[in-house]
Amino acid sequence: MKLTLVTGLTGLLLLGTIVELLRRRQLREKYGMLWLAVLIIVIPLSLFPRLLDNVAEVLGVASGVSLVLFLGIVFLLLVCVHLSWEVSALEEETRTLAEEFALLRAQIDADRAARDELVSTDG
């Protein structure tokens, strides 16, 4: 009973934290919705642990704990793949921006050199 209470309170605390991060715009909505969906599943299962055993039995898994560990690992792998995809897109965007910045810098330098040359020949 004590573990059920601790896990339930932890889930509710995490729910409050996610909502607050969303409210302060420190967490993007797409990630916030993902974590809220996870918590909506985790909180009832933490408060009613027998429900988890029933779900595991229906799915043919030996125990609820094994099911949670498996689903947790799969979930974390999916999050890692998604974040790797996001990082790759950001790296490409950063590279493109750096190239555009270098071209603009070269154009500004060329314009300054042409202007300085024009001023020196006039003066």
Side-chain angles (χ1 to χ4, degrees):
M1 181 65 181
K2 193 174 193 178
L3 180 61
T4 301
L5 183 62
V6 169
T7 55
L9 289 175
T10 302
L12 291 173
L13 180 66
L14 286 172
L15 178 65
T17 302
I18 296 297
V19 168
E20 184 62 20
L21 289 173
L22 284 168
R23 190 184 70 77
R24 292 183 181 183
R25 299 196 183 278
Q26 293 179 339
L27 181 64
R28 291 184 57 196
E29 288 83 5
K30 69 179 181 178
Y31 299 118
M33 293 304 122
L34 173 70
W35 291 112
L36 289 176
V38 168
L39 288 171
I40 287 172
I41 294 169
V42 167
I43 291 172
L45 290 176
S46 68
L47 295 175
F48 305 104
R50 298 285 179 239
L51 182 62
L52 182 61
D53 290 332
N54 293 338
V55 171
E57 185 178 323
V58 168
L59 295 175
V61 178
S63 70
V65 174
S66 298
L67 179 63
V68 167
L69 290 175
F70 173 74
L71 292 177
I73 289 170
V74 169
F75 176 74
L76 291 176
L77 284 173
L78 290 173
V79 168
C80 286
V81 168
H82 176 72
L83 291 177
S84 296
W85 174 71
E86 290 274 346
V87 166
S88 296
L90 288 173
E91 284 178 353
E92 179 65 25
E93 185 177 341
T94 301
R95 186 188 60 76
T96 302
L97 288 172
E99 288 173 356
E100 289 176 3
F101 179 77
L103 291 172
L104 288 171
R105 173 69 56 122
Q107 182 64 42
I108 289 170
D109 290 344
D111 289 347
R112 280 186 186 153
R115 186 188 61 205
D116 291 345
E117 185 178 317
L118 184 62
V119 169
S120 67
T121 58
D122 286 341

